[in-house]
């Protein structure tokens, strides 16, 4: 008799929970797939957000430097293009060496130094009036993000190294 009371008592509870469980099931599987995507997302250096941001900035610098005077072609124009591109190439080199954490961090340090150099060339570009203050501020804020990401990666290389 007790079994039938418990059984009949559980039945409404179970029927009440069933729609809730059915509703949560797709959410649970969605969260699970997001976790899997997040882990599987970084298959190459091109998947790193810091690389993507730095690459975009290097392309913006390339475009804007097309307007620099011809007399700057072998100095400021060449240097700012080279240093901005080196930020991304050093990230890629670091990714290739991530089996060795110290090499990985060393290449990220190279990338960081190129980022700082690019900032100096941007200062010259502004002060020589080749770019305006708004453009300079855009690059300064954007490279600030890149710098913070590089430093974060350097402080926790185990998250990226094999």
């Amino acid at each position: 008799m007790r079994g039938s009371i418990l059984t009949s008592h559980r039945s409404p509870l179970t029927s009440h929970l069933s729609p809730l469980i059915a509703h949560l099931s797709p959410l649970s599987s969605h969260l699970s797939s997001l976790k899997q995507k997040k882990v599987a997302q970084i298959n190459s250096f091109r998947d790193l957000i810091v690389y993507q941001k730095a690459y975009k900035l290097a392309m913006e610098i390339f475009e804007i430097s097309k307007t620099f005077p011809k007399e700057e072609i072998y100095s400021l124009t060449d240097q700012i293009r080279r240093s901005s591109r080196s930020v991304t190439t050093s990230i890629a080199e670091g990714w290739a060496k991530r089996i060795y954490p110290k090499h990985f961090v060393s290449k990220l340090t190279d990338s960081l130094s190129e980022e700082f150099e690019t900032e100096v060339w941007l200062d010259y570009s502004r002060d020589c009036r080749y770019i305006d203050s708004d453009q300079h501020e855009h690059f300064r804020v954007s490279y600030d993000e890149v710098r913070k990401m590089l430093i974060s990666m350097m402080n926790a290389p185990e998250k990226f190294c094999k």
Side-chain angles (χ1 to χ4, degrees):
M1 191 163 200
R2 278 188 160 230
S4 64
I5 292 172
L6 287 177
T7 307
S8 66
H9 183 68
R10 264 199 262 166
S11 179
L13 182 59
T14 305
S15 65
H16 179 70
L17 289 177
S18 290
L20 182 60
I21 292 168
H23 180 71
L24 290 176
S25 181
L27 180 60
S28 174
S29 65
H30 177 68
L31 289 173
S32 176
S33 71
L34 284 177
K35 287 179 185 176
Q36 290 172 352
K37 285 179 185 175
K38 191 172 185 179
V39 171
Q41 192 173 15
I42 302 176
N43 296 319
S44 107
F45 61 88
R46 288 182 186 92
D47 296 329
L48 296 168
I49 293 169
V50 67
Y51 173 86
Q52 294 168 9
K53 286 181 178 282
Y55 189 92
K56 181 178 182 271
L57 288 167
M59 292 306 297
E60 288 178 23
I61 284 173
F62 172 74
E63 287 301 321
I64 208 164
S65 67
K66 287 179 180 179
T67 65
F68 290 3
K70 295 292 179 213
E71 63 265 16
E72 292 286 7
I73 199 157
Y74 297 111
S75 54
L76 190 129
T77 305
D78 180 58
Q79 291 295 327
I80 197 169
R81 287 177 179 177
R82 184 199 55 74
S83 66
S84 66
R85 290 171 178 170
S86 290
V87 175
T88 55
T89 57
S90 293
I91 292 168
E93 289 175 13
W95 186 259
K97 295 182 177 192
R98 73 188 187 286
I99 194 165
Y100 306 107
K102 288 182 181 181
H103 287 282
F104 178 71
V105 171
S106 175
K107 294 313 293 181
L108 293 181
T109 303
D110 292 344
S111 181
L112 185 62
S113 68
E114 295 294 341
E115 183 276 325
F116 278 117
E117 181 181 342
T118 302
E119 285 192 54
V120 172
W121 292 120
L122 286 165
D123 290 346
Y124 277 112
S125 299
R126 180 203 54 215
D127 294 344
C128 292
R129 294 187 178 94
Y130 303 147
I131 63 173
D132 63 36
S133 294
D134 289 340
Q135 292 167 318
H136 183 269
E137 182 66 10
H138 161 71
F139 286 117
R140 193 194 63 71
V141 169
S142 298
Y143 272 114
D144 187 50
E145 284 181 46
V146 169
R147 182 180 341 98
K148 287 175 182 175
M149 287 184 214
L150 289 170
I151 292 169
S152 176
M153 291 171 72
M154 290 164 49
N155 288 334
E158 66 280 358
K159 292 180 180 179
F160 302 92
C161 295
K162 291 183 177 180

